[in-house]
Amino acid sequence: MLINTKEERSETILQNFRMIKWGYVLICMIGFLLSRICVFEAFYTLGVCYIGAVFSDKELRKWNSLVALGGLVSIGVFDTNVLKYILIIVLIILIRAYMSMMKATFNMRNQTLVTSVAIMFINLIVIGINGFKLFDLFIGFLETTVGMGLVIILCYSTEVILKNRKTPLTQKETISMAFLIACILGGLIDFYIQVPLFESIYFRDVMTFIIIIAITYMGGMNTGITISLIISTVLVLIGYMPPHFVAIYTLATLIGTVFYILDRAGVIFATGVGLLLGFALFNDRVIDWQIAGAYLTAGVISLGLPKKYFGIADWFGYGQAEEDEKHLLRVQKIITEKLNQFSKAFYNLSSTFGKISDKQFFLDEKDINYVIEDTGEKMCQNCSMKEFCWKDYIGQTYQSAYKMLDLIEKKGQLKLGDIPEAFRKSCINAESFACTLGFKLDLLKQSFMWKNRFVESRELVRQQFEAVAESINKLCENIEHELYFNKEDEKLIKEALDAKGIKTKDIMVLENNGRKEEIHIYTPYDIKTADIKENIIKAIHGALDIRVEAEKTESNQEERYLYFKFKMSKAYGILAGAAAHAKGEISGDVYSFMEVEDGRYLLALADGMGSGKLALEESTATIELLENFMDSGFKNDLAVKIINSVLVLKSDIENFSTMDITLIDEYTGVAEFLKMGAATSFILRNGEVTTIQSSTLPVGILKDVDMEIYKKQLKDGDVIIMVTDGMLQGENDLLGKEDTFKHFILEAHSNNPSYMAEYLVRKSRDLLGHAENDDMTIIVARIWQRNG
């Protein structure tokens, strides 16, 4: 195993060595080409600056400088101007040799300085030899300044080549690489072939169009236009083509991106059309057949090249969206697998509890006989009549005991006259025996009750485990199948924000079940727009034709970003109010109305058993649990099941509470009513009152929840009234079957929920003569439809 590991390491080192050496060869070849480029028929500055940009390795510095010298010599022109640049290169080599001897560190800053000093120093010598002229000094200074910029620009692209980058380039690296490619094209040794119709097709033109097609296809509009503009400008600067061809090439590239969706063939076709249009607009409607022939040749060659262009596509993010989506799917898969493991663990726990909690304990004949025999052992151990009662007349003894146990079950306790006459006459301790028999029976019943309570508790815990498992399982389904990040919408929003001058760091559009749910946007911290939030909302509306509202904003100065979370604007709004009146000092009723997860609005009432402090504790616990579960995205029935089991398990005292829940979907207007022992609810619509009734038990009584669910489609202007039973019941049942209360609702004549709630409590109290038998609580919610 160790040998294999060493072999693998050796192979990796060898591969890296080969990669580096090929990178060195490529760098040197580029140096040869760039040193041949002459700008404005006088300046070979590009080759010098390229030497300055290649500094990372001692051997590479040496060979690149020598090859660049060879490129300069290969021009075949030996005049004072070429000699000037040979001297500049030699001076750079000498300065670098001194730095190496002094073991100085090579970096972009000092190499830019070295190159600029060498250019300026040799220019000053030439000016001194030729005689001082202010114009020559200005040109020398300008060349030095431009040289410094060129070194910095070329540093980024040379680093990309040396590191064999396989990831998308940054904006600086893209511009640097575009410039380097343009320079390479300018430095190519050009040749041509003669073709009928097209006269001559030049190699440099063909390569130029191959590169423009490739980068437009791989990098999209912005990168394609940048490359086209830089390449055409460089070719103009070296005198290869007239200036108006910059406009022709840029227009061709711009039109080429229109057919990007038709793949590479679409880009080639559209760019060709753009080229013809450019000739019509900027070349006096004259087609340059040499350029047209070169483009046609480049198009055919491009169709035969790999779509990833031998790995160069990675630089421009080609296929990055698909890879990002695959990566996200892999992340989703990993998360769902982990969550499924948790879900499975809770299901297994639930199953285990189910297997050990399915047996209830009940008194049978064997248990009854045990009570009788145990009583006999205690009471008759030293009695002289033991042999007579438990051997000779054992049947009669058991019959008398059975009768006494039966009477104990019916009456709760025995009196002397309840003891069978025959037993009373034959047993000298009949009364003590009967008392002990009852005591033993009570002990056994208590034992069975606690065993059954323990069984029920385990069953309730099983239900809780099952509820948690179902919730985790539902979350897994959401992540795996229903949640989706819409990349197309993210791109549209980014373009809309760019058009408004708002830069972004990241944009995420989250969909759930095909419905846009959330939009998350990160912008730079130092953004200057004062009303950025409103501008983002307008941009989203313009891009996706949807209305959103800001739910959360966050400013992180340390990491330098602003964060915005937007939710879809809801179709319906809810305005709620409540009123309450306690029977005593403390009301046992608790209410809640609030926004919860998934665009739902919660209305909830809980009425604890009785009134006062104990009832308040039960109601408060019920409502707090409900709020937490709903706000965490639990399903309604699961939340109620868990609350029920908590109340059942809470203590030995009976704990139960009515629950009245209404959940309104603010996107669709559908209301879901869940009632557990709750009083009637009312819906007011267009002057008519309808009721929602149930006949269920409160939560906390049985281990299985007794629940009824109703669904209603609400409309604009509907009013929901939820009440506790204290509002509808009096000592003499004055409110009857809600008819009087319906009349009160119709009399309210108010769109203000709080006022309406107070009014209805006041009217109910007046009707009862202020002699309430229970706490009174009411929630009133008005539904209204939003515009737009």
Side-chain angles (χ1 to χ4, degrees), residues 586-756:
I586 300 174
S587 174
D589 299 344
V590 178
Y591 65 85
S592 175
F593 47 85
M594 60 184 289
E595 297 267 0
V596 293
E597 278 293 301
D598 303 327
R600 298 179 299 169
Y601 197 92
L602 170 70
L603 308 170
L605 270 176
D607 182 1
M609 180 183 66
S611 60
K613 186 177 179 181
L614 181 61
L616 176 63
E617 289 175 356
E618 303 309 321
S619 302
T620 303
T622 302
I623 289 296
E624 286 179 352
L625 285 170
L626 180 67
E627 288 177 344
N628 290 333
F629 286 137
M630 290 293 100
D631 210 26
S632 299
F634 271 68
K635 290 176 66 178
N636 310 337
D637 54 343
L638 290 178
V640 173
K641 281 181 182 179
I642 296 174
I643 292 170
N644 178 70
S645 62
V646 168
L647 291 178
V648 172
L649 289 169
K650 190 174 179 185
S651 70
D652 300 340
I653 306 170
E654 285 187 327
N655 295 291
F656 60 83
S657 172
T658 67
M659 285 186 70
D660 199 359
I661 302 170
T662 302
L663 281 161
I664 305 168
D665 189 322
E666 295 177 274
Y667 295 106
T668 63
V670 174
E672 193 172 19
F673 299 85
L674 293 83
K675 288 188 171 290
M676 288 70 64
T680 303
S681 295
F682 304 86
I683 299 177
L684 172 63
R685 177 183 294 172
N686 299 328
E688 293 184 7
V689 179
T690 57
T691 60
I692 297 173
Q693 300 172 321
S694 74
S695 56
T696 53
L697 293 172
V699 291
I701 296 178
L702 303 174
K703 62 182 179 66
D704 295 317
V705 181
D706 186 17
M707 176 171 51
E708 291 182 3
I709 302 175
Y710 309 88
K711 285 189 178 181
K712 296 281 185 181
Q713 175 64 58
L714 301 178
K715 295 183 179 179
D716 182 39
D718 284 357
V719 178
I720 296 173
I721 300 103
M722 298 166 60
V723 300
T724 56
D725 54 9
M727 293 286 294
L728 301 178
Q729 295 174 2
E731 187 175 352
N732 299 316
D733 195 22
L734 294 174
L735 295 181
K737 298 184 181 295
E738 299 102 22
D739 290 337
T740 308
F741 194 74
K742 287 182 182 179
H743 184 68
F744 291 160
I745 292 172
L746 293 171
E747 284 182 344
H749 299 302
S750 175
N751 289 328
N752 186 325
S754 295
Y755 171 82
M756 192 172 182

Side-chain angles (χ1 to χ4, degrees), residues 325-355:
E325 191 166 345
K326 287 178 182 177
H327 176 73
L328 182 59
L329 289 173
R330 294 186 195 107
V331 171
Q332 286 179 331
K333 185 178 179 182
I334 292 169
I335 292 172
T336 53
E337 284 176 355
K338 293 291 184 185
L339 288 174
N340 276 322
Q341 289 174 4
F342 283 114
S343 177
K344 186 178 179 181
F346 279 106
Y347 272 126
N348 289 338
L349 275 172
S350 173
S351 176
T352 301
F353 270 83
K355 290 174 183 177

Side-chain angles (χ1 to χ4, degrees), residues 34 45 143 152 221 288 296 304 368 377 450 463 501 561 597 609 628 630 671 738:
L34 264 61
T45 317
E143 184 181 13
I152 294 169
M221 180 184 292
D288 189 319
L296 186 62
I368 298 297
E377 285 288 329
W450 282 108
Q463 289 181 5
Y561 71 79
E597 278 293 301
M609 180 183 66
N628 290 333
M630 290 293 100
E738 299 102 22

Side-chain angles (χ1 to χ4, degrees), residues 559-578:
E559 296 185 22
R560 311 292 296 171
Y561 71 79
L562 298 175
Y563 165 68
F564 302 89
K565 179 183 177 182
F566 298 93
K567 295 279 258 185
M568 304 306 106
S569 294
K570 294 155 185 169
Y572 293 88
I574 291 96
L575 187 63

